[in-house]
Amino acid sequence: MRFESPDTIEQAIGLLNTCEGTSRVLAGGTDVLVQLRLALVEPELIVDIKHIAGMRDITAEDGGFRIGAAVSGAEMGEHADLVALWPGVVEAMELIGSTQVQGRATLAGNLCNASPAADSVPAMVAANAVATIVGPNGTRECPVADIPVSPSKTSLTKGEVITSIYLPARPDNSGDAYLRFIPRTEMDIAVSSAGVSLTINCDGVVTQARVSLGAVAPTVLVVEDASSAIIGTKLEDAAIATLQAACSAACNPIDDKRGTVEFRTKTAGVMAKRAALIAYSRAGGSK
Amino acid sequence: MSKIHVSTSINGDAVEYLCEPEETLLDVLRNRVGLTGAKEGCGSGDCGACSVALDGRLVCSCLVLAAEAEGKTVSTVEGIAEGENLHVLQQKLLDHAALQCGICTPGILIASKALLEKNPDPTETEVRYWLAGNLCRCTGYDKIIRAVMDAAAEMRGA
Ligand SMILES: Cc1cc2nc3c(=O)[nH]c(=O)nc-3n(C[C@H](O)[C@H](O)[C@H](O)COP(=O)(O)OP(=O)(O)OC[C@H]3O[C@@H](n4cnc5c(N)ncnc54)[C@H](O)[C@@H]3O)c2cc1C
Ligand code: FES
Ligand code: FES
């Protein structure tokens, strides 16, 4: 195995693109090091991206925030303005692992590891987050929702690296939230999860909403029927019940030791319902 | 394969080592630098026995490649006491009998020191969540939590 820590993105892409065997980008390493240890992957090349300019920065941009691909969860949680704008995305990131894991884990790493249960992903998808990807053919932007394609597989092609993730500006009276079901209170992997982002008007009526689910299908799900169930409502009981049913109907989970199909299907709806209520109150709505 | 040359600072001392690309910081601390305070409980980020501070940030050294420490500062449990004088946290763990086998203790010390630097007046819940990644198979945690709360109170008073 070769270890490189280039100073520029061009060098990183060059290294990855010319490597004939398996290569891995290294951000926080909280997935990569575990995979190395278990010999799940034996890469020829590891490219540490943390020395590349901009990778460790959180930058305000057009009313939103651009988060460099090497920014850790701990750094996100310490950024008061980011937490104020996208509390649901930050809380999702902060659910990942322990304090120690938080010191290293990144949004982009969580996304590129492409676990169906990745915690930050449903929250980013609800937020309409967009990844900036640089590769041998230049730079492109891609919605976060289109990056995972199946468990452990992404739509990135050879030599491509995510350099940042953009969380957009949002209207006043917006809120987001993320919840997961785990059998314990800390240090576990989601059995089901939901991210909700919404905006309300001055009467408390939902004008925009986006609902996503994690751990209940091979990739993150966007549930359009759940957003349409609450748009135009004040999250009255009937609207919430429709959202919950739409979420459960969208699930296509597996059975494993963490949860049965039935349990995942049910709890996904419950997580979405509770996340919607939290997002609504963060948007300034009262019930 | 040629080894990687790394210059780093460990507990305030400039340290250089040669390592293999796949070696972890934990491996190098224990096997090459001779600092065996950080322990390997799991090697997969779950137990926290290998906790160190890397540029002041609490991390699991089993999840850091040794080559990544180039140009950084590493703090391990060996740097906590000042000469013969134990750190307040060390003394409080002893006073509260908050260790038995001691395997988790270096990690608990490094992690709780990082907590108190960030938050000198944590609630019990905050201490418990902060230390959720530091597993202890012996004490049942209660004594550890009490020792950390007591150390925090003493450090605030001092
Ligand atoms: C003890 C423990 C607990 C955990 N708990 C959780 C949890 O509760 N929820 C959860 O979702 N995850 C959890 N994880 C998994 C992991 O911490 C997260 O997935 C984390 O966000 C990964 O980020 P990283 O920066 O460490 O990724 P890395 O390990 O550096 O990389 C992960 C993958 O993404 C690729 N990659 C990284 N950055 C880029 C980039 N910029 N461009 C292209 N490819 C890239 C890497 O090559 C690798 O394949 C846990 C891990 C541990 C060890
Ligand atoms: S040995 Fe590093 S977390 Fe267990
Ligand atoms: S004292 Fe034995 S593991 Fe904590």
Side-chain angles (χ1 to χ4, degrees):
Chain A
M1 192 176 99
R2 216 168 109 212
F3 173 87
E4 298 285 349
S5 51
D7 296 322
T8 68
I9 186 71
E10 291 75 21
Q11 287 170 321
I13 290 161
L15 286 162
L16 292 164
N17 200 35
T18 51
C19 173
E20 280 169 13
T22 310
S23 59
R24 280 286 181 280
V25 170
L26 179 73
T30 59
D31 284 312
V32 170
L33 273 273
V34 175
Q35 289 159 7
L36 289 179
R37 163 89 182 197
L38 298 175
L40 293 175
V41 43
E42 292 181 30
E44 251 171 51
L45 172 70
I46 293 263
V47 179
D48 182 359
I49 57 170
K50 292 189 287 294
H51 296 272
I52 299 171
M55 290 283 191
R56 310 209 54 165
D57 300 339
I58 300 176
T59 330
E61 184 182 310
D62 296 337
F65 284 101
R66 182 165 297 286
I67 299 167
V71 170
S72 68
E75 288 162 338
M76 288 174 62
E78 287 163 8
H79 196 294
D81 293 341
L82 173 64
V83 176
L85 192 67
W86 287 107
V89 175
V90 178
E91 79 190 337
M93 188 65 207
E94 289 188 318
L95 282 174
I96 293 176
S98 56
T99 319
Q100 286 84 341
V101 170
Q102 281 294 308
R104 299 260 294 166
T106 65
L107 275 180
N110 196 223
L111 177 61
C112 294
N113 190 52
S115 159
D119 281 307
S120 73
V121 177
M124 285 196 278
V125 166
N128 269 317
V130 176
T132 298
I133 301 166
V134 183
N137 301 320
T139 302
R140 66 185 176 100
E141 311 265 293
C142 177
V144 160
D146 296 339
I147 291 187
V149 293
S150 63
S152 307
K153 290 255 166 358
T154 70
S155 56
L156 298 187
T157 57
K158 188 172 169 67
E160 284 192 322
V161 177
I162 294 183
T163 53
S164 66
I165 288 174
Y166 183 65
L167 295 170
R170 55 200 323 200
D172 287 344
N173 303 321
S174 298
D176 70 322
Y178 174 81
L179 285 176
R180 67 176 182 181
F181 181 86
I182 56 171
R184 335 158 49 188
T185 48
E186 266 287 275
M187 297 288 284
D188 209 343
I189 295 169
V191 172
S192 67
S193 70
V196 177
S197 175
L198 52 76
T199 301
I200 60 177
N201 66 15
C202 50
D203 300 322
V205 175
V206 176
T207 56
Q208 293 174 30
R210 196 161 151 91
V211 179
S212 66
L213 300 177
V216 290
T219 61
V220 60
L221 297 178
V222 178
V223 190
E224 308 279 0
D225 289 349
S227 0
S228 49
I230 56 170
I231 292 174
T233 77
K234 294 183 181 179
L235 295 197
E236 295 86 356
D237 292 350
I240 281 285
T242 315
L243 163 134
Q244 186 174 344
C247 287
S248 289
C251 294
N252 173 27
I254 55 164
D255 249 323
D256 72 2
K257 62 180 178 194
R258 296 181 183 281
T260 58
V261 166
E262 200 186 355
F263 186 77
R264 288 193 145 101
T265 305
K266 171 148 196 200
T267 52
V270 176
M271 292 299 106
K273 160 181 155 176
R274 293 182 187 166
L277 292 168
I278 296 169
Y280 189 76
S281 91
R282 285 181 180 162
S286 57
K287 285 191 54 68
Chain B
M1 272 302 292
S2 62
K3 288 192 174 155
I4 302 173
H5 177 252
V6 176
S7 309
T8 181
S9 157
I10 304 180
N11 300 327
D13 297 329
V15 175
E16 298 191 21
Y17 54 78
L18 291 172
C19 67
E20 302 290 346
E22 46 278 294
E23 269 181 292
T24 65
L25 179 58
L26 177 62
D27 295 334
V28 163
L29 287 172
R30 294 183 55 83
N31 303 336
R32 295 192 189 271
V33 182
L35 294 175
T36 55
K39 301 285 185 279
E40 178 167 309
C42 65
S44 55
D46 294 292
C47 76
C50 65
S51 298
V52 303
L54 186 65
D55 277 352
R57 186 68 76 179
L58 182 66
V59 302
C60 294
S61 61
C62 73
L63 296 185
V64 177
L65 287 176
E68 290 183 75
E70 170 66 37
K72 299 203 177 298
T73 62
V74 181
S75 310
T76 72
V77 71
E78 285 87 350
I80 286 195
E82 289 194 19
E84 294 295 299
N85 298 327
L86 294 183
H87 187 278
V88 180
L89 278 162
Q90 291 173 307
Q91 190 58 53
K92 292 298 179 190
L93 285 182
L94 288 173
D95 293 349
H96 287 261
L99 66 153
Q100 289 174 35
C101 79
I103 293 286
C104 69
T105 312
I108 301 275
L109 282 166
I110 285 286
S112 38
K113 183 164 177 278
L115 169 64
L116 300 186
E117 280 162 8
K118 190 178 150 96
N119 178 0
D121 192 8
T123 63
E124 179 179 331
T125 304
E126 286 168 338
V127 176
R128 285 185 186 273
Y129 270 96
W130 185 273
L131 294 178
N134 289 88
L135 304 187
C136 175
R137 300 302 287 172
C138 303
T139 64
Y141 300 104
D142 238 50
K143 291 179 172 182
I144 295 175
I145 305 300
R146 272 183 259 147
V148 174
M149 297 293 288
D150 193 7
E154 183 160 322
M155 286 163 71
R156 282 196 308 277

